[in-house]
Amino acid sequence: MITTYTRKVVPPINMLFSRKYRHENTVIDIGGIQIGGERVVIMAGPCSVESRQQIIEIAQAVKKVKASMLRGGAFKARSSPYSFQGLGEQGLHFLAEARTATGLPIVTEVMSPSQVPLVAAYADILQVGARNMQNFPLLCSLGGIRKPVLLKRGMGNTLEELLLAAEYILSAGNHQVILCERGIRTYESATRNTLDINAIPVLKEMTHLPVIVDPSHAIGKAQFVTAIARSAIAAGADGLLVEVHTHPAKALSDGEQSLSPSMFATLMLEVERIAGALQRHI
Ligand code: PEP
Ligand code: MN
């Protein structure tokens, strides 16, 4: 089946993402957890859902130290077709079980328009991965749902391109978009990506949408994640998306950048103190 989209081709005078269109911050409420307000929202969990036991164990570990949401990929956008691709629908089931066990809302990735109804039936927030930031049919489909979308910045995209991608979702009718800086490609090869710390205050001026940071993909090495997570909160991010695994060395994806529960506990304590200095809380 070929889906056609009818879109308004006349742009609004002010883009819907802009502060000129809406001056006040957009605050997105997920079961009482507000993103974009005073609270700094910490979403944590494994890169991929690997089993029922794995996701429930990690959900309990991150909840214990006050994370507010659980992340985990069921559909994975891997660079290599031979890498673990995720558990698919079964992974969504396991995430839902982890939500029931802990009460944590779930954030999970959607990769194509055809997956949107399925993922929306399980997720509290639907994540668009960096590699799909300009998957325009996907953005249009997400404009048609009534659940928040976490839109990650492409590794080679400008802030303007990120905001225009958000505009696709907003202009199709979904006003709940959260932007995520997750590191960009630079000439530096000592780290996986380079966190564009500038993106945080600059986006905050350009848009009313909440801005969060993924320090895990931004730096790619667990021992440095906490330092840049602190910097993100100090720069004004509304939250973090952090990879945590109970057995990082055995993770099926991104083990190198995954925090152990004890490293994550330290991150939470330090981030809470920085948030407090800015009259925010976790
Ligand atoms: C992820 O969140 O696990 C992920 C694949 O991130 P990104 O799309 O930013 O690479
Ligand atoms: Mn990952």
Side-chain angles (χ1 to χ4, degrees):
M1 190 183 77
I2 296 173
T3 315
T4 53
Y5 301 99
T6 32
R7 303 189 59 81
K8 289 194 195 104
V9 288
V10 182
I13 295 166
N14 292 313
M15 292 279 188
L16 304 178
F17 67 71
S18 77
R19 286 268 183 204
K20 286 191 199 122
Y21 176 76
R22 184 188 153 92
H23 182 68
E24 322 78 63
N25 289 338
T26 285
V27 178
I28 297 176
D29 189 288
I30 295 127
I33 298 165
Q34 300 193 326
I35 307 185
E38 250 175 51
R39 188 164 176 177
V40 166
V41 176
I42 314 296
M43 309 170 187
C47 179
S48 303
V49 179
E50 298 168 8
S51 69
R52 175 191 282 117
Q53 193 200 337
Q54 175 247 19
I55 192 68
I56 292 179
E57 200 175 279
I58 296 174
Q60 286 167 339
V62 299
K63 161 129 184 178
K64 202 168 144 193
V65 291
K66 300 201 280 191
S68 1
M69 296 198 193
L70 175 67
R71 66 145 286 148
F75 294 101
K76 295 300 303 177
R78 305 303 303 282
S79 297
S80 165
Y82 306 116
S83 300
F84 177 59
Q85 302 286 308
L87 297 180
E89 187 167 357
Q90 176 152 69
L92 297 175
H93 262 291
F94 294 158
L95 277 167
E97 287 189 48
R99 173 174 50 204
T100 305
T102 58
L104 295 178
I106 56 186
V107 186
T108 196
E109 183 162 350
V110 59
M111 286 167 54
S112 70
S114 63
Q115 287 171 358
V116 170
L118 175 69
V119 177
Y122 287 91
D124 297 288
I125 300 181
L126 287 85
Q127 174 175 325
V128 176
R131 291 157 189 80
N132 271 318
M133 188 201 88
Q134 288 184 314
N135 178 340
F136 298 116
L138 176 61
L139 302 177
C140 292
S141 305
L142 291 168
I145 64 167
R146 292 293 164 266
K147 285 209 168 169
V149 176
L150 193 167
L151 178 63
K152 296 186 103 179
R153 178 185 184 181
M155 57 200 82
N157 289 108
T158 63
L159 297 180
E160 188 186 16
E161 286 163 344
L162 170 63
L163 290 167
L164 289 171
E167 191 75 9
Y168 268 86
I169 304 171
L170 299 170
S171 63
N174 185 351
H175 300 289
Q176 301 189 87
V177 179
I178 301 155
L179 304 173
C180 182
E181 160 62 32
R182 45 77 74 208
I184 52 174
R185 280 244 161 106
T186 67
Y187 52 79
E188 183 52 68
S189 59
T191 54
R192 182 173 181 180
N193 290 292
T194 298
L195 175 65
D196 181 9
I197 197 88
N198 297 352
I200 304 160
V202 173
L203 284 172
K204 281 278 169 194
E205 183 183 89
M206 294 167 92
T207 181
H208 50 84
L209 298 170
V211 178
I212 69 163
V213 166
D214 170 349
S216 308
H217 293 84
I219 202 153
K221 293 184 180 175
Q223 70 269 33
F224 305 130
V225 166
T226 300
I228 61 160
R230 293 193 305 255
S231 76
I233 299 307
D238 294 306
L240 298 172
L241 183 70
V242 186
E243 287 187 343
V244 178
H245 201 289
T246 38
H247 305 283
K250 291 192 183 152
L252 296 183
S253 59
D254 287 348
E256 214 189 320
Q257 66 195 31
S258 298
L259 300 185
S260 63
S262 74
M263 290 170 92
F264 180 62
T266 304
L267 178 149
M268 291 298 285
L269 281 177
E270 295 180 0
V271 158
E272 187 168 22
R273 289 168 68 188
I274 291 172
L278 298 167
Q279 278 75 53
R280 300 184 83 171
H281 58 93
I282 60 170

